[in-house]
Amino acid sequence: MTTDWAAEYRRLLQGHRYDAGGRTTERYREEPPPPLTPAEVCEAEEELGITFPEDYRDHLLRRSAGGRINRLRRDAAGWGWHGDSDTNYGLLSADFPHPDSYRAYEDGLDDREPLEEQFADQEAFRRAWQDWDDEYGVHQERKTAGAVYIQEHGCGFSTLLVVTGPHRGTMWFDGRATCDLILPLLLNGEPVSFAEWIDRPSMTPW
């Protein structure tokens, strides 16, 4: 069965919310917002279809709904992270994939990129390249399934908090803007948790 990559890509893009909030560096130099109540946290988890990692949940309940990180709040669209346009809410409940799990597929996808000289006419090349580009877009969306863009660093760089799957509770750096990689944050060779990350200025630039 042939996949309709254009339709699948359009479907996945519907999982984004384009919040008009300002940049992280502008918003979180202000006074941190107050914590959430237990009822609010439970409501957010139920609506988003996930269970927050315990240390992130503790931060929301005891310290702040935001601070140096994107603020979790409820607005007209429901519960979500203020100013974040990258988290795919439609994929939050799917397991976050380790990069090793898709490396071979990604290499094959790169090898299959259509080249103009392979086609007899421009229209055939255009259709083939568009189909490949849609498949590539789907792949990029799925790379951050089960993760929240918890902090933006500017220039296309962000830190991810994994909320679903075997890597739940760990922190990752999205460096695709330059190196095309999503990398785990490590401390003494071990994956970094939200609690370990939030109070380390070297890991949280803002």
Side-chain angles (χ1 to χ4, degrees), residues 3-198:
T3 302
D4 186 341
W5 293 112
E8 178 64 5
Y9 190 32
R10 287 195 301 270
R11 184 186 71 80
L12 291 183
L13 290 179
Q14 291 174 357
H16 290 279
R17 297 180 188 174
Y18 296 97
D19 193 319
R23 281 172 48 81
T24 304
T25 49
E26 297 166 352
R27 286 181 281 119
Y28 298 122
R29 285 172 180 159
E30 302 172 356
E31 188 71 20
L36 299 177
T37 67
E40 287 174 321
V41 170
C42 289
E43 182 183 289
E45 289 179 320
E46 183 175 359
E47 183 180 309
L48 295 168
I50 57 176
T51 300
F52 298 134
E54 286 304 312
D55 47 1
Y56 177 58
R57 201 174 199 272
D58 187 69
H59 178 85
L60 295 172
L61 290 169
R62 297 177 183 274
R63 296 179 63 175
S64 174
R68 289 192 306 240
I69 57 177
N70 287 329
R71 178 182 181 179
L72 179 65
R73 70 173 191 177
R74 181 177 51 206
D75 60 18
W79 282 99
W81 289 270
H82 178 50
D84 164 37
S85 298
D86 294 312
T87 296
N88 194 314
Y89 290 76
L91 292 173
L92 270 182
S93 61
D95 287 357
F96 175 79
H98 192 284
D100 289 346
S101 70
Y102 54 72
R103 204 173 307 282
Y105 172 78
E106 188 166 69
D107 289 343
L109 184 59
D110 289 339
D111 291 340
R112 289 191 284 108
E113 181 177 1
L115 302 175
E116 190 171 357
E117 58 266 26
Q118 297 171 331
F119 296 86
D121 61 80
Q122 282 290 319
E123 181 58 24
F125 168 66
R126 187 196 65 77
R127 289 196 304 269
W129 192 90
Q130 187 60 61
D131 191 56
W132 177 87
D133 192 54
D134 288 332
E135 183 180 356
Y136 182 83
V138 168
H139 174 55
Q140 292 298 323
E141 287 295 318
R142 290 175 177 169
K143 280 184 176 183
T144 56
V148 172
Y149 281 77
I150 203 71
Q151 187 183 65
E152 178 197 348
H153 307 304
C155 301
F157 301 112
S158 298
T159 296
L160 305 171
L161 167 62
V162 177
V163 295
T164 314
H167 306 288
R168 179 176 174 271
T170 59
M171 309 299 295
W172 293 67
F173 179 72
D174 187 348
R176 286 178 291 176
T178 55
C179 66
D180 202 31
L181 295 174
I182 296 176
L183 303 166
L185 295 182
L186 303 175
L187 184 64
N188 299 322
E190 296 296 324
V192 171
S193 69
F194 177 84
E196 293 169 324
W197 171 82
I198 190 65

